[in-house]
């Protein structure tokens, strides 16, 4: 389905969820595509190579854990704003392709933080902090969305 692209620019700011987050500069209508990623700024790093890397802490913090390794930024000095997006069990943006194309799940106000559900990024890994416990209610709601 072809979606209308939002004219919003995403910027970084202090997040009430965790550290930095992505914020909309203008109102975004439900269904509009929201550009938060540059599909050319990621690479796959096999698990053994990631864990042996001097950048292992950055890879674990920013990387998207999938079977066999991580998707991580090509260059940690030049990364898309989407790498800073925080998790919410009830997010305001989602993806049809599970990749770099995101759209508004509901109307989003200017200044509102954009959030995604990390648990929907890979079937085997929830991509939350490895020490964070996800409530059973949230897990059940995530399964119903699939």
């Amino acid at each position: 389905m072809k979606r209308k692209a939002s004219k919003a620019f995403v910027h970084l700011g202090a997040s009430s969820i965790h550290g930095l987050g992505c914020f909309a500069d203008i109102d975004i209508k439900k269904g509009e595509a929201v550009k938060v990623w540059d599909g050319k700024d990621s690479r796959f790093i096999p698990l053994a190579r990631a864990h042996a890397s001097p950048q292992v802490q950055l890879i674990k913090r920013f990387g998207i854990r999938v079977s066999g390794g991580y998707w991580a930024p090509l260059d940690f000095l030049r990364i898309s704003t989407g790498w800073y997006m925080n998790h919410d069990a009830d997010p305001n943006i989602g993806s049809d392709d599970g990749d770099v194309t995101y759209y508004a799940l509901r109307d989003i106000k200017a200044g509102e933080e954009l959030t995604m559900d990390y648990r929907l990024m890979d079937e085997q890994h929830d991509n939350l902090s490895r020490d964070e416990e996800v409530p059973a209610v949230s897990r059940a709601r995530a399964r119903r969305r699939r």
Side-chain angles (χ1 to χ4, degrees):
M1 171 166 91
K2 180 97 170 126
R3 294 185 183 280
K4 179 182 175 192
S6 171
K7 295 185 183 339
F9 286 100
V10 175
H11 63 274
L12 300 178
S15 169
S16 62
I17 298 171
H18 181 91
L20 291 177
C22 300
F23 294 83
D25 70 328
I26 62 173
D27 292 347
I28 302 170
K29 297 284 185 206
K30 180 180 179 177
E32 286 183 342
V34 182
K35 186 164 173 72
V36 293
W37 301 98
D38 175 354
K40 299 177 186 119
D41 81 339
S42 65
R43 62 188 162 143
F44 181 76
I45 306 171
L47 196 59
R49 195 171 69 177
H51 288 178
S53 169
Q55 296 181 325
V56 65
Q57 294 308 318
L58 288 171
I59 293 167
K60 284 183 172 183
R61 180 170 181 177
F62 287 98
I64 300 168
R65 178 78 161 93
V66 295
S67 299
Y70 294 86
W71 281 99
L74 282 173
D75 182 345
F76 285 99
L77 296 175
R78 297 179 182 157
I79 63 177
S80 300
T81 53
W83 289 104
Y84 290 93
M85 199 167 331
N86 285 309
H87 166 77
D88 192 323
D90 188 23
N92 55 16
I93 68 170
S95 175
D96 285 335
D97 60 13
D99 194 10
V100 296
T101 308
Y102 282 81
Y103 64 94
L105 296 171
R106 59 171 173 75
D107 288 348
I108 300 170
K109 293 287 185 196
E112 185 177 343
E113 183 169 358
L114 302 177
T115 58
M116 62 192 293
D117 188 339
Y118 290 178
R119 298 165 299 166
L120 302 179
M121 299 178 85
D122 184 81
E123 292 290 325
Q124 292 184 310
H125 300 91
D126 66 16
N127 287 295
L128 291 171
S129 167
R130 303 309 175 251
D131 300 323
E132 187 171 337
E133 194 61 36
V134 179
V137 172
S138 294
R139 284 194 188 275
R141 183 170 36 184
R143 279 193 293 275
R144 283 195 305 268
R145 286 185 189 161
R146 288 186 186 171

